């Protein structure tokens, strides 16, 4: 069973209210799943979820280790991931009956079944195929979906089937993290393969980038060369709580004629990066990129707005000795301010 909330969002206390209410209805939910009688329960769940945020989606489905699962999902909307993550952070531990997720989990067995689409169209999902490619050293895969039944469907229905099938195959977060461009065709594309082959390619990519990688980019500005270091894969789903961009600009005195830091300033910059987040706030923020040139380094941190991490960074910047540091904060759960580094 699933629903989409519709009303205006309430405050963060609604998450606490949800988890206070949930134990009182667990047994009723289990009974409703068994009987299929959702008439009174669905409005109750929707009301509690929409109090957290009106655009969250919720769903009950078969669990992976427990009998049942409850998901409250951002449905791919970056601005909602921190909300769903905070809901999930307060969830009780999974038990034999219930587990809790902030994204739809993979369920590839669904792709062995037939589903109804629109008026009278039945799609045997076992006929679904995916062509996929990966640019050299890229941390994402481009996918083209094909099904012979796509000829009978409109563009919106083809899109819906494609995205649903990818979610079932890889899980919602798997799609968000590892899949790049997504399209669909009514004729078999070159390299069309069974879904399990795409799943294997994604698993190989996940293993390759199991340890985050940093890459260096080099460019030029009117003031001289600019060197950028950025972590990849740079996908916001990897840090769902970190919704606030904190940009810290640190000028440095010891620099080359090209404006890049010499050894003394470079050591100071590295020391700042190592210690700007305290042990207490280190789990609430991360450095995802920095760009250096023209006598200054801009460090791009992302933090949980409900934590002290942003304040810790601002305090650390206040102790910078090589010049006057500048700190800017922006709500940016989609990593748009550093998206051009992808």
């Amino acid at each position: 069973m699933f629903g989409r909330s519709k009303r205006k969002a309430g405050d963060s206390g609604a998450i606490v209210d949800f988890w206070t209410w949930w134990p009182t209805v667990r047994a009723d939910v289990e009974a409703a799943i068994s009987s299929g009688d959702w008439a009174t329960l669905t409005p109750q769940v929707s009301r509690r979820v929409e109090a957290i945020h009106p655009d969250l989606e919720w769903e009950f489905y078969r669990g992976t280790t427990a009998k049942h699962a409850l998901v409250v999902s951002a449905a791919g909307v970056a601005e909602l991931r921190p909300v769903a993550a905070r809901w999930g952070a307060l969830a009780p531990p999974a038990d034999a009956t219930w587990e809790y997720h902030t994204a739809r989990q993979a369920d590839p067995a669904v792709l062995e079944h037939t589903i109804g689409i629109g008026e009278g169209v039945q799609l045997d999902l076992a006929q679904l195929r995916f062509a996929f490619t990966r640019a050299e050293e890229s941390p994402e895969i481009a996918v083209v979906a094909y099904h012979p039944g796509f000829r009978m469907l409109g563009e919106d229905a083809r899109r819906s089937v494609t995205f649903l099938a990818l979610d079932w195959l890889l899980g919602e977060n798997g799609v968000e993290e590892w899949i790049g461009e997504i399209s669909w065709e009514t004729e078999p594309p070159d390299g069309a393969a069974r879904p399990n082959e795409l799943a294997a390619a994604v698993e190989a990519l996940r293993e390759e980038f199991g340890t985050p990688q940093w890459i260096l980019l080099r460019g030029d500005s009117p003031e001289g060369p600019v060197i950028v270091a950025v972590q990849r894969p740079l996908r916001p789903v990897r840090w769902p709580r970190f919704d606030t961009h904190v940009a810290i600009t640190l000028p440095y005195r010891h620099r080359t004629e090209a404006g890049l830091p010499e050894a003394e300033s470079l050591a100071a910059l590295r020391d700042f990066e190592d210690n700007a987040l305290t042990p207490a706030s280190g789990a609430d923020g991360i450095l995802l990129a920095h760009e250096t040139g023209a006598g200054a380094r801009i460090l791009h941190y992302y933090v949980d707005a409900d934590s002290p991490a942003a304040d810790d960074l601002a305090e650390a910047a206040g102790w910078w000795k090589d010049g006057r540091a500048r700190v800017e904060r922006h709500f940016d759960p989609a990593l748009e301010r550093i998206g051009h580094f992808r």
Side-chain angles (χ1 to χ4, degrees):
M1 185 63 198
F2 64 92
R4 182 191 290 271
S5 53
K6 305 247 182 221
R7 293 191 300 119
K8 188 176 180 180
D11 59 30
S12 59
I15 296 176
V16 175
D17 291 342
F18 182 97
W19 290 119
T20 302
W21 165 79
W22 172 249
T24 69
V25 296
R26 269 184 47 143
D28 294 337
V29 172
E30 293 164 29
I33 291 174
S34 298
S35 67
D37 182 10
W38 297 95
T40 60
L41 190 60
T42 299
Q44 293 183 53
V45 180
S46 289
R47 188 164 56 250
R48 296 285 176 168
V49 173
E50 66 192 16
I52 300 170
H53 195 285
D55 295 323
L56 290 172
E57 295 184 359
W58 64 268
E59 185 175 355
F60 296 124
Y61 60 95
R62 184 176 64 251
T64 53
T65 58
K67 184 177 181 181
H68 307 297
L70 167 60
V71 61
V72 171
S73 168
V77 180
E79 291 76 6
L80 296 181
R81 287 197 191 100
V83 182
R86 288 165 188 143
W87 172 87
L90 292 183
D95 55 31
T97 307
W98 284 101
E99 59 191 51
Y100 309 95
H101 302 287
T102 57
R104 294 182 178 92
Q105 304 298 290
D107 190 5
V110 175
L111 300 182
E112 301 171 4
H113 298 284
T114 297
I115 61 172
I117 302 292
E119 296 184 6
V121 178
Q122 298 289 315
L123 290 185
D124 178 3
L125 294 180
Q127 299 182 55
L128 192 67
R129 297 292 183 267
F130 294 105
F132 52 92
T133 56
R134 175 193 172 193
E136 186 177 0
E137 297 185 357
S138 171
E140 60 187 43
I141 294 173
V143 172
V144 181
Y146 165 73
H147 190 287
F150 279 178
R151 300 186 191 95
M152 299 180 289
L153 301 177
E155 191 69 5
D156 288 346
R158 295 170 192 156
R159 180 186 187 279
S160 295
V161 171
T162 297
F163 278 85
L164 281 170
L166 287 171
D167 281 351
W168 285 323
L169 179 64
L170 305 172
E172 190 176 339
N173 284 350
V175 176
E176 291 289 329
E177 188 166 3
W178 304 110
I179 302 301
E181 182 180 356
I182 300 172
S183 58
W184 42 91
E185 300 288 349
T186 57
E187 297 296 332
D190 292 340
R194 293 181 178 276
N196 65 309
E197 296 181 54
L198 173 58
V202 168
E203 184 58 32
L205 197 61
R206 183 180 286 112
E207 291 181 6
E208 179 179 344
F209 289 91
T211 300
Q213 299 180 6
W214 284 82
I215 60 170
L216 289 178
L217 309 173
R218 186 181 178 92
D220 293 295
S221 74
E223 293 79 26
V226 177
I227 297 176
V228 176
V230 59
Q231 188 178 149
R232 66 172 190 172
L234 195 63
R235 306 301 288 261
V237 69
R238 297 180 62 206
W239 307 281
R241 290 191 298 118
F242 297 171
D243 54 5
T244 299
H245 175 227
V246 181
I248 302 176
T249 302
L250 301 178
Y252 47 83
R253 286 196 293 264
H254 304 280
R255 54 180 174 173
T256 67
E257 290 183 2
L260 298 175
E262 292 183 324
E264 187 173 343
S265 287
L266 187 59
L269 290 167
R270 289 173 174 166
D271 182 68
F272 182 93
E273 294 175 19
D274 290 341
N275 297 289
L277 287 170
T278 69
S281 62
D284 296 316
I286 191 170
L287 177 66
L288 292 184
H290 60 69
E291 48 188 315
T292 307
R297 173 168 289 183
I298 305 173
L299 300 110
H300 298 279
Y301 288 90
Y302 278 79
V303 304
D304 183 342
D306 285 355
S307 78
D311 291 337
D312 285 352
L313 290 170
E315 182 178 353
W319 291 97
W320 182 248
K321 297 179 179 179
D322 259 16
R324 185 173 182 179
R326 186 171 74 251
V327 180
E328 298 180 56
R329 307 184 195 187
H330 299 91
F331 179 69
D332 183 27
L335 309 187
E336 291 179 349
R337 290 181 174 270
I338 60 172
H340 55 291
F341 295 148
R342 282 184 60 193

